[in-house]
Amino acid sequence: MDGHRQNFWTPTEEGNSPPREEYERALGMVATPSELVAFMVGLGQPADGKPLRVLEPACGDSPFLRAFAARYGAHHDLTGVDIHPEAVERSKAFLPHAKFLLADYLLGQPEEPFDLILGNPPYGIIGDGSHYPIHLLKERKSAYKERFATWRGKYNIYGAFIEHSVRLLRPGGRLVFVVPATWLVLDDFTDLRRFLARSGRITIYYWGRAFPRRNVSVVVLLVEKGARGMVLYDRDKAAVWKPEYQGELIRFETPETLAFERGGFSLGQCFTIHFAARSPEFRRCPFVETEPRPGLVPVLTGRNLHRGWIDYETCTSGLWMPLEQAPLLRPFYAYPHIVVAHTKGTRVVAALDSCCYPWREEFHLVPKVGVADLQAVVDHLNSEAVQRHTRSLYRDFVPHLTAAMLRLIPIPSGFIERGISEQLPLGGAVNEWVHE
Ligand SMILES: C[S@@+](CC[C@H](N)C(=O)[O-])C[C@H]1O[C@@H](n2cnc3c(N)ncnc32)[C@H](O)[C@@H]1O
């Protein structure tokens, strides 16, 4: 039995390890503050005196196993896994009675499930070192993609750690991870949220910027395998409870935000949200030039967009083209339409492009129904009421406003043409699935 346990993860080739700082960055190393470790270890409290099978994946120096053993005794069966030899050696020195495995956690399969899996997995998108933090693992990306059902889009390695760990729990077992808050709302995590909703009861404790000097807002995720429902806490105060949770966006909903949403149609009912044409499309377009000359207009970016107005003069993209050719890149450039910022944090910044310029960035709203007054919609989107609404729902979960958030913003029914508005249910998209 013990032999199996020793071998359930295939050891990684030791080879030449990169210098410590480099490996820490490239493998997503972030040390967990001790207050947070103590809180999480509290969530893993053994229910009775029986020894638990406890795992800390990507254990680094094993702060969670050490705190667990200090609080609940050394009689538990403790295992740590890390891909880096130094981390495994340091952990062995700290906890000589625990088992430590040098292995890629995401590619291993233990013989026996665990009662408790806890820790701080690495965060980051796996890819090229020039663009993405987790580049030491990039050769394995296709193996991960094949293995994890929730892998979607660029994904973030912490999503794979969550899926794998939930699968390794016994029924009734618990996962306690600290992870970025992005999975609560981003479309890339739609499958992960549905998977979690099917797998167990999920309790989320919002901690915000708990890591000093790290620009990341985090939550503690507790999954109790086999139970149902979702509870969102603001630190230790219960804020949202959904016993029938199925994987929808997780937000700080309040009676006020829900009433605000029910008071109008959702933006997604009234508008299709388009992204601007991408840089490669501009590069391929024969009408696009890199020097100004009479007859050309600048291609606009987020820096041209301001609350309620657009700077049509300054070229922020380094690209120019004839105005009348812009619709070749996106047909909706031909019509006056609303532009909403994607590149200005989670603030809602909107303006009406009445001059029909080409854009290389931002969201572009094309009406699906008769919208009586586009300028009134712009003023509403820029209003303090909408800013307050989005801030209170999404806080600092993500660095940018997303299409899913935008789609749920309510538009007062008075802005929609009579006749059409009667056919639309008010606040219709609030509880619907949100698709890209
Ligand atoms: C975010 S730190 C967590 C460290 C520790 N749990 C803590 O809270 O201080 C990341 C650790 O993950 C390890 N790691 C990264 N990818 C891994 C993988 N695929 N399998 C196992 N360990 C991995 C790194 O070597 C590093 O020690």
Side-chain angles (χ1 to χ4, degrees):
M1 182 74 81
D2 234 339
H4 281 313
R5 287 193 201 157
Q6 294 295 341
N7 292 325
F8 57 52
W9 273 283
T10 316
T12 44
E13 344 55 65
E14 297 214 8
N16 293 332
S17 308
R20 179 150 175 193
E21 268 177 26
E22 156 69 357
Y23 106 76
E24 288 182 349
R25 204 180 66 79
L27 288 174
M29 180 82 195
V30 186
T32 315
S34 53
E35 186 197 357
L36 187 50
V37 173
F39 173 77
M40 292 170 60
V41 166
L43 297 176
Q45 180 165 24
D48 47 38
K50 277 199 228 125
L52 296 187
R53 251 170 80 67
V54 183
L55 173 70
E56 181 176 351
C59 59
D61 292 345
S62 301
F64 292 89
L65 292 182
R66 285 190 275 148
F68 187 91
R71 190 135 148 203
Y72 305 122
H75 59 291
H76 297 283
D77 178 357
L78 307 179
T79 303
V81 181
D82 203 286
I83 203 165
H84 202 274
E86 262 186 47
V88 168
E89 288 316 310
R90 286 200 306 269
S91 288
K92 279 183 183 163
F94 282 125
L95 282 176
H97 302 299
K99 285 188 283 288
F100 288 99
L101 301 157
L102 176 63
D104 185 334
Y105 176 69
L106 295 177
L107 299 179
Q109 189 61 41
E111 298 270 314
E112 276 183 57
F114 290 89
D115 300 301
L116 175 65
I117 300 182
L118 83 176
N120 172 17
Y123 318 150
I125 291 168
I126 303 174
D128 197 296
S130 59
H131 283 90
Y132 299 110
I134 313 274
H135 57 272
L136 286 185
L137 303 174
K138 71 174 188 290
E139 282 76 32
R140 301 171 188 206
K141 192 170 169 176
S142 53
Y144 296 156
K145 247 183 178 169
E146 207 167 288
R147 185 151 206 211
F148 298 108
T150 62
W151 198 286
R152 185 160 153 179
K154 288 205 187 96
Y155 218 38
N156 187 307
I157 193 167
Y158 81 77
F161 269 77
I162 293 176
E163 179 186 334
H164 193 43
S165 303
V166 169
R167 293 189 193 281
L168 298 187
L169 289 176
R170 68 158 172 80
R174 274 169 293 168
L175 169 74
V176 185
F177 264 178
V178 54
V179 287
T182 51
W183 68 274
L184 306 180
V185 291
L186 288 185
D187 287 330
D188 276 355
F189 296 99
T190 305
D191 290 339
L192 181 72
R193 289 193 300 270
R194 290 178 188 169
F195 166 77
L196 289 175
R198 285 194 305 273
S199 303
R201 175 168 43 241
I202 58 183
T203 309
I204 299 137
Y205 301 87
Y206 171 80
W207 272 62
R209 287 167 196 254
F211 288 86
R213 297 181 304 282
R214 296 283 170 157
N215 190 16
V216 61
S217 177
V218 297
V219 294
V220 171
L221 165 66
L222 164 68
V223 182
E224 293 159 280
K225 195 163 174 174
R228 284 286 163 272
M230 184 279 288
V231 191
L232 172 63
Y233 281 77
D234 191 358
R235 277 277 184 131
D236 50 3
K237 207 169 108 243
V240 179
W241 178 51
K242 292 196 174 176
E244 304 298 331
Y245 180 70
Q246 289 176 54
E248 55 272 29
L249 300 192
I250 297 172
R251 323 179 295 164
F252 276 111
E253 290 165 2
T254 62
E256 293 76 41
T257 60
L258 293 175
F260 191 59
E261 283 180 343
R262 288 198 195 99
F265 303 117
S266 71
L267 187 145
Q269 287 176 295
C270 311
F271 293 91
T272 306
I273 301 170
H274 295 273
F275 290 103
R278 314 275 172 185
S279 302
E281 296 174 73
F282 279 99
R283 279 199 296 276
R284 281 197 305 267
C285 176
F287 299 103
V288 173
E289 301 185 24
T290 51
E291 296 293 335
R293 64 175 177 80
L296 303 184
V297 299
V299 172
L300 306 183
T301 71
R303 277 174 287 158
N304 295 87
L305 177 66
H306 301 274
R307 189 159 277 157
W309 66 281
I310 290 166
D311 169 6
Y312 291 108
E313 301 299 321
T314 314
C315 184
T316 54
S317 62
L319 304 172
W320 287 261
M321 73 185 296
L323 187 64
E324 61 280 7
Q325 306 296 351
L328 282 180
L329 287 154
R330 287 291 181 276
F332 58 81
Y333 291 157
Y335 307 100
H337 69 275
I338 298 172
V339 184
V340 181
H342 174 57
T343 56
K344 293 185 189 294
T346 47
R347 288 175 306 142
V348 184
V349 175
L352 183 62
D353 179 4
S354 49
C355 298
C356 310
Y357 266 45
W359 286 83
R360 212 201 56 200
E361 282 176 348
E362 312 302 55
F363 296 120
H364 298 265
L365 311 189
V366 176
K368 288 191 204 172
V369 295
V371 177
D373 186 347
L374 286 177
Q375 186 57 50
V377 175
V378 166
D379 295 342
H380 167 70
L381 291 175
N382 288 331
S383 69
E384 186 45 37
V386 168
Q387 308 304 319
R388 211 176 324 117
H389 176 72
T390 49
R391 236 188 350 257
S392 76
L393 281 173
Y394 307 108
R395 304 218 179 155
D396 53 359
F397 294 173
V398 282
H400 301 297
L401 189 77
T402 68
M405 294 175 182
L406 188 53
R407 211 170 279 135
L408 292 176
I409 294 177
I411 303 294
S413 52
F415 298 167
I416 307 303
E417 277 173 7
R418 218 193 294 275
I420 296 172
S421 60
E422 273 107 60
Q423 295 154 26
L424 292 174
L426 282 176
V430 173
N431 291 315
E432 278 172 19
W433 286 109
V434 179
H435 294 290
E436 246 323 310

